[in-house]
């Protein structure tokens, strides 16, 4: 089980497959350099960045799905730990940011669905809602996508959110390119969540 969680009352968590750019998103959100690597599965424990004065933190949870050099048993344990973490701290989590790779998410989801499996991304989106954490979908690496609207509509469709995606702008769907610092759509979604939670004191983190 993940240990050493700072005692903070408000939290934003990042979840997603390995290698979708979660750590890069985290770096943009916090201004701190986070371990990133070309190999999936670099993050094996939660990375917390916390602020005592605001009683708040951002948490980057380990990636799920394929991880380079990680045995299936260990991978499954990490996934179980992620689920338990989200269940245990759901009341403190203001937003669960599901990070997807805009360039490959649809193909990966379809490949798993074609094999009769529930794709991890779809499962995680539903699970966040189940435990009372309204998800934000940060669709990363949009610089590699040719037809943005078509891709985002397809992602909405796979997640069971009705397209067109524009109706979820500023609330649930955030097309970004973290590597280039193009994060405003995600900041907008987080501002909405902070405001709804009556935590306008946190708006400075996403301005």
């Amino acid at each position: 089980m993940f240990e050493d969680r700072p005692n903070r009352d408000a939290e934003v968590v990042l979840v997603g497959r390995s290698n979708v750019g979660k750590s890069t998103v985290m770096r943009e959100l916090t201004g701190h350099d986070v371990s990133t690597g070309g190999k999936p599965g670099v993050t094996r424990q939660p990375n917390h960045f916390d602020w005592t004065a605001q009683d708040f933190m951002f948490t980057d949870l380990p990636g799920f799905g394929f991880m380079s050099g990680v045995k299936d048993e260990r991978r499954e344990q990490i996934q179980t730990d992620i689920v338990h973490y989200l269940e245990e701290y759901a009341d403190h989590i203001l937003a669960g940011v599901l990070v997807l790779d805009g360039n490959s998410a649809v193909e990966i989801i379809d490949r798993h669905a074609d094999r009769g499996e529930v794709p991890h991304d779809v499962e995680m989106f539903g699970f966040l809602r189940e435990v009372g954490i309204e998800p934000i979908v940060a669709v990363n690496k949009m610089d590699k996508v040719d037809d943005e609207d078509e891709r985002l509509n397809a992602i909405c469709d796979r997640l069971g959110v009705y397209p067109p995606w524009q109706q979820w702008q500023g609330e649930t769907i955030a097309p970004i390119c973290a590597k280039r610092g193009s994060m405003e759509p995600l900041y907008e979604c987080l501002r909405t969540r902070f405001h709804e939670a009556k935590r306008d004191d946190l708006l400075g983190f996403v301005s």
Side-chain angles (χ1 to χ4, degrees):
M1 185 62 186
F2 302 143
E3 295 164 2
D4 303 323
R5 178 189 182 272
N7 183 21
R8 298 289 172 263
D9 191 52
E11 180 176 8
V12 169
V13 297
L14 269 61
V15 294
R17 280 181 186 282
S18 301
N19 226 25
V20 295
K22 283 198 321 308
S23 297
T24 309
V25 172
M26 188 72 162
R27 186 181 67 212
E28 290 297 317
L29 285 169
T30 63
H32 291 274
D33 209 2
V34 186
S35 294
T36 61
K39 287 200 305 185
V42 171
T43 307
R44 307 276 171 87
Q45 283 283 331
N47 280 321
H48 303 286
F49 288 90
D50 64 314
W51 291 267
T52 310
Q54 288 86 0
D55 202 12
F56 170 72
M57 65 183 169
F58 286 107
T59 298
D60 177 19
L61 290 172
F64 50 73
F66 171 76
M67 297 178 206
S68 178
V70 181
K71 291 180 178 171
D72 285 353
E73 191 179 302
R74 174 74 181 125
R75 183 167 52 81
E76 283 165 19
Q77 183 59 53
I78 289 171
Q79 287 175 205
T80 301
D81 288 347
I82 291 169
V83 165
H84 287 163
Y85 185 96
L86 293 169
E87 284 178 330
E88 186 169 350
Y89 299 111
D91 290 347
H92 300 280
I93 296 171
L94 303 181
V97 180
L98 173 61
V99 184
L100 302 182
D101 180 337
N103 196 39
S104 62
V106 173
E107 290 76 13
I108 290 171
I109 289 171
D110 287 352
R111 194 162 66 236
H112 284 271
D114 288 346
R115 292 201 295 248
E117 303 164 3
V118 178
H120 290 310
D121 316 83
V122 176
E123 194 172 33
M124 182 56 71
F125 184 81
F127 176 72
L128 286 167
R129 283 187 156 173
E130 239 173 70
V131 295
I133 303 166
E134 196 55 37
I136 294 168
V137 183
V139 187
N140 194 24
K141 307 187 185 182
M142 287 304 291
D143 56 317
K144 297 179 180 176
V145 173
D146 292 332
D147 190 328
E148 182 172 303
D149 289 341
E150 186 184 333
R151 180 54 55 101
L152 293 170
N153 284 339
I155 285 170
C156 283
D157 179 62
R158 302 311 189 272
L159 293 175
V161 178
Y162 293 112
W165 76 272
Q166 286 91 341
Q167 66 183 323
W168 304 104
Q169 222 167 345
E171 186 184 336
T172 305
I173 303 292
I176 62 170
C177 178
K179 209 171 185 178
R180 296 185 177 182
S182 175
M183 295 277 290
E184 178 53 32
L186 176 56
Y187 293 154
E188 191 183 347
C189 290
L190 288 170
R191 286 195 292 267
T192 300
R193 295 300 159 81
F194 293 162
H195 186 65
E196 286 171 351
K198 298 183 169 53
R199 290 300 307 264
D200 285 357
D201 59 308
L202 302 178
L203 293 175
F205 289 108
V206 287
S207 57

